[in-house]
Amino acid sequence: MDKMEKPEKLIQLKSIKKYYPVTQGFLKRKDLFVRAVDGVTFSIFRGETLGLVGESGCGKSTLGRVLLRLEKPTSGSVLYDGRDMAELSAGELKEMRLKLQIIFQDPYSSLNPRKSVASIIGEGMLIHGLARRADVNEKVAEYLELVGLSEEHLGRYPHEFSGGQRQRIGIARALALGPELIVTDEPVSSLDVSIQSQILNLMGDLKENFNLTYLFISHDLSVVKYISDRVCVMYLGKIVELSEKDAMYDEPLHPYTAALFSAVPTVEVDAKGKKRKRIILSGDIPSPVFPPHGCRFHTRCPEVKDLCKNEEPPLEDKGGGRLCACHFR
């Protein structure tokens, strides 16, 4: 994305909440909810890669599914190109789904084992009228070539491929519908390190060639640093920091972001020539059913003060377009 141009908002999430009722176990009550996403607001600019990071269970994948309208938000709105997706008719939503695609985490379970590669990739093209049945295999072969596979793979089934090849098939399936935005949910976490780099480089090339926008969901901070333009950090259903990649990695503002980054193995040193100090957080992530009052992070924060326990900090601009939800930053 050209930083000299004013960025265009492709996706806007406004006060998104997604609650799940507690329907099992000894806590089963109609008035209890798992607050997977709890009041999230941010935008994704056209042509960028926005990295979304956080510990397991913080709501990253749920947010991605809500963005794609795979799940309806409990409240809040998702705007695509300025249009509220909740107000679209069934036909309009079907047409919009062409522009919003997803690459799943597990290339083993995301492909139907009973269908050939030609069917897996071509099915969406047939449903949306993007190809005639007589021509679909030819078009599928073109997309296979784009992701590093060949026409000879058309009649094969998922079990005949390696994990990296299966993920390439998943990428081709998403690409075949001509999307503008692709949500990638941990797309390389199950792959070998050498294969990860190949898939990331492929995604980068496709982004440039097809003017794609990515929401890149991951817990691997090194991968996010490599591929992202901006980074968004989630904790217990809320955004705690959002800024340009380089600024965040050089000097994280939020105590949680600093602790998260300090956990990454590195031989790098800071500006004073000292190796980055490891920040050890005490305790576990609180329950999303009973989140803490005030700042969600105050139960584990090494810099906690009384204000943090009683008042929730807003996500606000701390200068230079850097957003942070902390009273003392």
Side-chain angles (χ1 to χ4, degrees):
M1 186 173 60
D2 190 347
K3 294 183 179 179
M4 299 301 293
E5 299 178 0
K6 185 177 180 180
E8 176 188 354
K9 294 179 180 179
L10 180 63
I11 294 286
Q12 299 176 68
L13 288 83
K14 297 184 176 181
S15 303
I16 293 294
K17 294 183 178 181
K18 180 59 182 178
Y19 294 176
Y20 297 97
V22 178
T23 58
Q24 295 181 351
F26 70 95
L27 288 177
K28 181 178 178 180
R29 281 168 45 185
K30 293 183 179 180
D31 60 337
L32 288 182
F33 298 89
V34 175
R35 306 183 183 201
V37 179
D38 200 7
V40 166
T41 298
F42 67 85
S43 299
I44 303 175
F45 301 127
R46 187 182 298 274
E48 79 166 340
T49 298
L50 176 65
L52 182 59
V53 302
E55 293 172 280
S56 297
C58 70
K60 305 186 299 296
S61 296
T62 300
L63 187 60
R65 292 195 297 270
V66 169
L67 185 156
L68 293 170
R69 201 65 182 179
L70 297 178
E71 296 199 36
K72 294 182 179 180
T74 303
S75 65
S77 57
V78 179
L79 277 65
Y80 170 75
D81 236 357
R83 301 180 67 188
D84 190 337
M85 294 179 67
E87 298 177 356
L88 299 179
S89 65
E92 290 173 325
L93 186 59
K94 179 182 178 182
E95 182 178 348
M96 184 167 287
R97 287 195 186 282
L98 286 170
K99 302 299 182 182
L100 305 173
Q101 292 297 310
I102 185 170
I103 300 170
F104 295 96
Q105 174 180 357
D106 186 1
Y108 295 91
S109 62
S110 63
L111 303 179
N112 190 330
R114 298 184 178 182
K115 292 190 175 183
S116 67
V117 170
S119 180
I120 289 171
I121 299 175
E123 183 177 27
M125 300 169 70
L126 292 173
I127 289 173
H128 290 280
L130 300 179
R132 296 182 302 174
R133 188 167 296 277
D135 303 327
V136 68
N137 280 5
E138 181 179 347
K139 288 185 174 293
V140 171
E142 293 175 2
Y143 285 106
L144 285 177
E145 185 175 350
L146 285 171
V147 300
L149 299 176
S150 64
E151 186 176 357
E152 68 179 34
H153 295 121
L154 283 172
R156 296 186 184 180
Y157 290 80
H159 72 272
E160 300 179 72
F161 296 92
S162 67
Q165 289 174 320
R166 293 184 194 189
Q167 199 59 292
R168 289 175 187 270
I169 295 169
I171 293 172
R173 176 175 59 185
L175 196 65
L177 298 182
E180 290 187 322
L181 179 136
I182 300 179
V183 174
T184 66
D185 190 1
E186 304 271 12
V188 297
S189 63
S190 63
L191 305 178
D192 294 339
V193 174
S194 60
I195 305 301
Q196 287 184 13
S197 62
Q198 295 176 19
I199 297 298
L200 292 173
N201 289 332
L202 171 63
M203 291 176 61
D205 292 341
L206 294 174
K207 175 187 174 184
E208 296 298 323
N209 294 335
F210 291 91
N211 299 315
L212 298 174
T213 303
Y214 290 131
L215 174 62
F216 192 91
I217 300 171
S218 180
H219 64 271
D220 190 326
L221 297 172
S222 299
V223 169
V224 170
K225 183 178 182 180
Y226 177 78
I227 199 170
S228 300
D229 299 305
R230 292 189 302 150
V231 179
C232 182
V233 182
M234 282 191 75
Y235 182 79
L236 205 62
K238 288 187 174 289
I239 303 298
V240 297
E241 187 168 353
L242 173 60
S243 77
E244 295 289 333
K245 169 186 66 179
D246 292 337
M248 182 181 293
Y249 276 77
D250 289 343
E251 187 180 0
L253 293 181
H254 198 279
Y256 174 66
T257 308
L260 204 62
F261 286 6
S262 78
V264 179
T266 180
V267 294
E268 297 177 357
V269 296
D270 60 20
K272 297 181 180 179
K274 296 181 179 180
K275 192 172 181 179
R276 182 176 293 174
K277 183 179 179 181
R278 174 76 166 94
I279 301 173
I280 306 296
L281 298 178
S282 60
D284 297 321
I285 300 177
S287 168
V289 179
F290 302 106
H293 293 291
C295 175
R296 293 282 171 93
F297 186 57
H298 86 256
T299 58
R300 304 172 72 198
C301 182
E303 305 173 29
V304 62
K305 296 179 174 59
D306 288 341
L307 179 63
C308 308
K309 301 176 183 179
N310 301 309
E311 185 176 328
E312 181 178 338
L315 183 66
E316 56 188 5
D317 195 329
K318 301 295 184 177
R322 300 190 63 181
L323 305 180
C324 180
C326 181
H327 293 298
F328 304 101
R329 289 291 189 272

PDB file of all heavy atoms in Angstrom, residues 11-27:
ATOM      1  N   ILE A  11     -13.005  -2.170   4.699  1.00  0.00           N
ATOM      2  CA  ILE A  11     -13.845  -2.773   5.727  1.00  0.00           C
ATOM      3  C   ILE A  11     -13.839  -1.884   6.969  1.00  0.00           C
ATOM      4  O   ILE A  11     -12.783  -1.407   7.392  1.00  0.00           O
ATOM      5  CB  ILE A  11     -13.337  -4.175   6.124  1.00  0.00           C
ATOM      6  CG1 ILE A  11     -13.483  -5.151   4.955  1.00  0.00           C
ATOM      7  CG2 ILE A  11     -14.060  -4.713   7.358  1.00  0.00           C
ATOM      8  CD1 ILE A  11     -14.907  -5.589   4.683  1.00  0.00           C
ATOM      9  N   GLN A  12     -15.010  -1.667   7.544  1.00  0.00           N
ATOM     10  CA  GLN A  12     -15.122  -0.952   8.815  1.00  0.00           C
ATOM     11  C   GLN A  12     -15.920  -1.801   9.797  1.00  0.00           C
ATOM     12  O   GLN A  12     -17.031  -2.224   9.486  1.00  0.00           O
ATOM     13  CB  GLN A  12     -15.816   0.399   8.629  1.00  0.00           C
ATOM     14  CG  GLN A  12     -15.088   1.361   7.705  1.00  0.00           C
ATOM     15  CD  GLN A  12     -15.872   2.643   7.495  1.00  0.00           C
ATOM     16  OE1 GLN A  12     -16.036   3.451   8.418  1.00  0.00           O
ATOM     17  NE2 GLN A  12     -16.370   2.843   6.277  1.00  0.00           N
ATOM     18  N   LEU A  13     -15.329  -2.076  10.935  1.00  0.00           N
ATOM     19  CA  LEU A  13     -16.032  -2.768  12.005  1.00  0.00           C
ATOM     20  C   LEU A  13     -16.353  -1.741  13.083  1.00  0.00           C
ATOM     21  O   LEU A  13     -15.460  -1.033  13.563  1.00  0.00           O
ATOM     22  CB  LEU A  13     -15.180  -3.897  12.588  1.00  0.00           C
ATOM     23  CG  LEU A  13     -15.001  -5.136  11.713  1.00  0.00           C
ATOM     24  CD1 LEU A  13     -13.888  -4.924  10.701  1.00  0.00           C
ATOM     25  CD2 LEU A  13     -14.718  -6.363  12.544  1.00  0.00           C
ATOM     26  N   LYS A  14     -17.620  -1.658  13.451  1.00  0.00           N
ATOM     27  CA  LYS A  14     -18.059  -0.648  14.405  1.00  0.00           C
ATOM     28  C   LYS A  14     -18.725  -1.306  15.613  1.00  0.00           C
ATOM     29  O   LYS A  14     -19.796  -1.921  15.486  1.00  0.00           O
ATOM     30  CB  LYS A  14     -19.031   0.331  13.744  1.00  0.00           C
ATOM     31  CG  LYS A  14     -18.401   1.127  12.593  1.00  0.00           C
ATOM     32  CD  LYS A  14     -19.367   2.154  12.038  1.00  0.00           C
ATOM     33  CE  LYS A  14     -18.706   3.011  10.971  1.00  0.00           C
ATOM     34  NZ  LYS A  14     -19.632   4.039  10.434  1.00  0.00           N
ATOM     35  N   SER A  15     -18.067  -1.210  16.763  1.00  0.00           N
ATOM     36  CA  SER A  15     -18.606  -1.692  18.044  1.00  0.00           C
ATOM     37  C   SER A  15     -19.101  -3.136  17.958  1.00  0.00           C
ATOM     38  O   SER A  15     -20.187  -3.471  18.452  1.00  0.00           O
ATOM     39  CB  SER A  15     -19.746  -0.773  18.529  1.00  0.00           C
ATOM     40  OG  SER A  15     -19.302   0.551  18.650  1.00  0.00           O
ATOM     41  N   ILE A  16     -18.299  -3.987  17.357  1.00  0.00           N
ATOM     42  CA  ILE A  16     -18.699  -5.384  17.154  1.00  0.00           C
ATOM     43  C   ILE A  16     -18.644  -6.150  18.475  1.00  0.00           C
ATOM     44  O   ILE A  16     -17.636  -6.158  19.180  1.00  0.00           O
ATOM     45  CB  ILE A  16     -17.789  -6.075  16.130  1.00  0.00           C
ATOM     46  CG1 ILE A  16     -17.988  -5.483  14.740  1.00  0.00           C
ATOM     47  CG2 ILE A  16     -18.043  -7.577  16.110  1.00  0.00           C
ATOM     48  CD1 ILE A  16     -19.365  -5.732  14.161  1.00  0.00           C
ATOM     49  N   LYS A  17     -19.747  -6.806  18.779  1.00  0.00           N
ATOM     50  CA  LYS A  17     -19.810  -7.721  19.913  1.00  0.00           C
ATOM     51  C   LYS A  17     -20.316  -9.073  19.423  1.00  0.00           C
ATOM     52  O   LYS A  17     -21.218  -9.139  18.583  1.00  0.00           O
ATOM     53  CB  LYS A  17     -20.746  -7.199  21.008  1.00  0.00           C
ATOM     54  CG  LYS A  17     -20.265  -5.919  21.679  1.00  0.00           C
ATOM     55  CD  LYS A  17     -21.212  -5.508  22.806  1.00  0.00           C
ATOM     56  CE  LYS A  17     -20.709  -4.249  23.502  1.00  0.00           C
ATOM     57  NZ  LYS A  17     -21.597  -3.840  24.618  1.00  0.00           N
ATOM     58  N   LYS A  18     -19.706 -10.138  19.936  1.00  0.00           N
ATOM     59  CA  LYS A  18     -20.192 -11.481  19.649  1.00  0.00           C
ATOM     60  C   LYS A  18     -20.176 -12.274  20.938  1.00  0.00           C
ATOM     61  O   LYS A  18     -19.122 -12.615  21.476  1.00  0.00           O
ATOM     62  CB  LYS A  18     -19.307 -12.164  18.596  1.00  0.00           C
ATOM     63  CG  LYS A  18     -19.776 -13.577  18.245  1.00  0.00           C
ATOM     64  CD  LYS A  18     -21.202 -13.586  17.696  1.00  0.00           C
ATOM     65  CE  LYS A  18     -21.700 -14.996  17.395  1.00  0.00           C
ATOM     66  NZ  LYS A  18     -23.101 -15.006  16.905  1.00  0.00           N
ATOM     67  N   TYR A  19     -21.375 -12.544  21.468  1.00  0.00           N
ATOM     68  CA  TYR A  19     -21.536 -13.283  22.708  1.00  0.00           C
ATOM     69  C   TYR A  19     -22.151 -14.648  22.403  1.00  0.00           C
ATOM     70  O   TYR A  19     -23.041 -14.770  21.563  1.00  0.00           O
ATOM     71  CB  TYR A  19     -22.468 -12.543  23.674  1.00  0.00           C
ATOM     72  CG  TYR A  19     -21.948 -11.219  24.198  1.00  0.00           C
ATOM     73  CD1 TYR A  19     -22.758 -10.427  25.010  1.00  0.00           C
ATOM     74  CD2 TYR A  19     -20.675 -10.756  23.909  1.00  0.00           C
ATOM     75  CE1 TYR A  19     -22.310  -9.216  25.513  1.00  0.00           C
ATOM     76  CE2 TYR A  19     -20.209  -9.554  24.402  1.00  0.00           C
ATOM     77  CZ  TYR A  19     -21.032  -8.776  25.197  1.00  0.00           C
ATOM     78  OH  TYR A  19     -20.582  -7.572  25.679  1.00  0.00           O
ATOM     79  N   TYR A  20     -21.668 -15.659  23.114  1.00  0.00           N
ATOM     80  CA  TYR A  20     -22.229 -17.001  23.003  1.00  0.00           C
ATOM     81  C   TYR A  20     -22.846 -17.386  24.347  1.00  0.00           C
ATOM     82  O   TYR A  20     -22.174 -17.295  25.381  1.00  0.00           O
ATOM     83  CB  TYR A  20     -21.147 -18.015  22.636  1.00  0.00           C
ATOM     84  CG  TYR A  20     -20.506 -17.790  21.295  1.00  0.00           C
ATOM     85  CD1 TYR A  20     -19.300 -17.102  21.201  1.00  0.00           C
ATOM     86  CD2 TYR A  20     -21.093 -18.263  20.136  1.00  0.00           C
ATOM     87  CE1 TYR A  20     -18.695 -16.891  19.970  1.00  0.00           C
ATOM     88  CE2 TYR A  20     -20.506 -18.068  18.901  1.00  0.00           C
ATOM     89  CZ  TYR A  20     -19.298 -17.379  18.826  1.00  0.00           C
ATOM     90  OH  TYR A  20     -18.707 -17.169  17.596  1.00  0.00           O
ATOM     91  N   PRO A  21     -24.105 -17.818  24.370  1.00  0.00           N
ATOM     92  CA  PRO A  21     -24.721 -18.225  25.644  1.00  0.00           C
ATOM     93  C   PRO A  21     -24.054 -19.471  26.208  1.00  0.00           C
ATOM     94  O   PRO A  21     -23.639 -20.358  25.463  1.00  0.00           O
ATOM     95  CB  PRO A  21     -26.181 -18.497  25.269  1.00  0.00           C
ATOM     96  CG  PRO A  21     -26.152 -18.771  23.801  1.00  0.00           C
ATOM     97  CD  PRO A  21     -25.035 -17.934  23.227  1.00  0.00           C
ATOM     98  N   VAL A  22     -23.927 -19.516  27.516  1.00  0.00           N
ATOM     99  CA  VAL A  22     -23.368 -20.691  28.193  1.00  0.00           C
ATOM    100  C   VAL A  22     -24.490 -21.715  28.320  1.00  0.00           C
ATOM    101  O   VAL A  22     -25.405 -21.545  29.121  1.00  0.00           O
ATOM    102  CB  VAL A  22     -22.799 -20.318  29.578  1.00  0.00           C
ATOM    103  CG1 VAL A  22     -22.268 -21.557  30.285  1.00  0.00           C
ATOM    104  CG2 VAL A  22     -21.698 -19.274  29.438  1.00  0.00           C
ATOM    105  N   THR A  23     -24.402 -22.778  27.523  1.00  0.00           N
ATOM    106  CA  THR A  23     -25.507 -23.747  27.465  1.00  0.00           C
ATOM    107  C   THR A  23     -25.122 -25.118  27.991  1.00  0.00           C
ATOM    108  O   THR A  23     -25.940 -26.037  27.992  1.00  0.00           O
ATOM    109  CB  THR A  23     -25.995 -23.908  26.017  1.00  0.00           C
ATOM    110  OG1 THR A  23     -24.893 -24.328  25.190  1.00  0.00           O
ATOM    111  CG2 THR A  23     -26.545 -22.597  25.476  1.00  0.00           C
ATOM    112  N   GLN A  24     -23.876 -25.271  28.439  1.00  0.00           N
ATOM    113  CA  GLN A  24     -23.448 -26.566  28.956  1.00  0.00           C
ATOM    114  C   GLN A  24     -22.660 -26.377  30.238  1.00  0.00           C
ATOM    115  O   GLN A  24     -22.185 -25.277  30.546  1.00  0.00           O
ATOM    116  CB  GLN A  24     -22.585 -27.291  27.909  1.00  0.00           C
ATOM    117  CG  GLN A  24     -23.328 -27.654  26.646  1.00  0.00           C
ATOM    118  CD  GLN A  24     -22.441 -28.379  25.644  1.00  0.00           C
ATOM    119  OE1 GLN A  24     -21.244 -28.467  25.827  1.00  0.00           O
ATOM    120  NE2 GLN A  24     -23.057 -28.915  24.607  1.00  0.00           N
ATOM    121  N   GLY A  25     -22.511 -27.487  30.978  1.00  0.00           N
ATOM    122  CA  GLY A  25     -21.713 -27.458  32.200  1.00  0.00           C
ATOM    123  C   GLY A  25     -22.476 -26.929  33.401  1.00  0.00           C
ATOM    124  O   GLY A  25     -23.647 -26.550  33.321  1.00  0.00           O
ATOM    125  N   PHE A  26     -21.784 -26.868  34.538  1.00  0.00           N
ATOM    126  CA  PHE A  26     -22.452 -26.460  35.775  1.00  0.00           C
ATOM    127  C   PHE A  26     -22.772 -24.971  35.800  1.00  0.00           C
ATOM    128  O   PHE A  26     -23.547 -24.508  36.641  1.00  0.00           O
ATOM    129  CB  PHE A  26     -21.581 -26.838  36.985  1.00  0.00           C
ATOM    130  CG  PHE A  26     -20.330 -26.022  37.123  1.00  0.00           C
ATOM    131  CD1 PHE A  26     -20.300 -24.896  37.942  1.00  0.00           C
ATOM    132  CD2 PHE A  26     -19.169 -26.371  36.442  1.00  0.00           C
ATOM    133  CE1 PHE A  26     -19.149 -24.144  38.078  1.00  0.00           C
ATOM    134  CE2 PHE A  26     -18.025 -25.618  36.572  1.00  0.00           C
ATOM    135  CZ  PHE A  26     -18.005 -24.502  37.380  1.00  0.00           C
ATOM    136  N   LEU A  27     -22.195 -24.192  34.849  1.00  0.00           N
ATOM    137  CA  LEU A  27     -22.498 -22.764  34.780  1.00  0.00           C
ATOM    138  C   LEU A  27     -23.688 -22.462  33.874  1.00  0.00           C
ATOM    139  O   LEU A  27     -23.987 -21.295  33.624  1.00  0.00           O
ATOM    140  CB  LEU A  27     -21.273 -21.989  34.274  1.00  0.00           C
ATOM    141  CG  LEU A  27     -20.094 -21.846  35.245  1.00  0.00           C
ATOM    142  CD1 LEU A  27     -18.956 -21.115  34.560  1.00  0.00           C
ATOM    143  CD2 LEU A  27     -20.504 -21.100  36.510  1.00  0.00           C
TER     144      LEU A  27
END
